[in-house]
Amino acid sequence: MISDEAWKVSSYSGGSNNCVEVGRTPGLAAVRDTKNRDGGTLVVDRGTFAAFLAAVKSGRL
């Protein structure tokens, strides 16, 4: 379980709830919808998440 303090919302969201949140625990990253926090969570290992972010930032995705 990820504590409420471990979840972060992107600063690009501008304070709106039209965003996703990222939570981190040792070895894992989790993503959930800000509007529906109880609707499910995608959990992946941190290496996979880092590779995903790098692909997004480079424009490959």
Side-chain angles (χ1 to χ4, degrees), residues 7-56:
W7 289 98
K8 303 292 180 206
V9 177
S10 170
S11 60
Y12 291 102
S13 70
S16 71
N17 281 340
N18 297 322
C19 198
V20 295
E21 299 174 314
V22 176
R24 297 185 341 179
T25 63
L28 298 174
V31 181
R32 68 182 181 186
D33 184 346
T34 302
K35 294 180 289 187
N36 186 10
R37 291 183 173 126
D38 295 325
T41 303
L42 172 68
V43 179
V44 297
D45 68 80
R46 289 175 84 174
T48 299
F49 192 67
F52 169 73
L53 289 179
V56 169

Side-chain angles (χ1 to χ4, degrees), residues 1 5 26 38 51-52 55 57 59-61:
M1 181 73 174
E5 298 83 31
D38 295 325
F52 169 73
K57 289 178 182 180
R60 290 181 281 146
L61 293 178

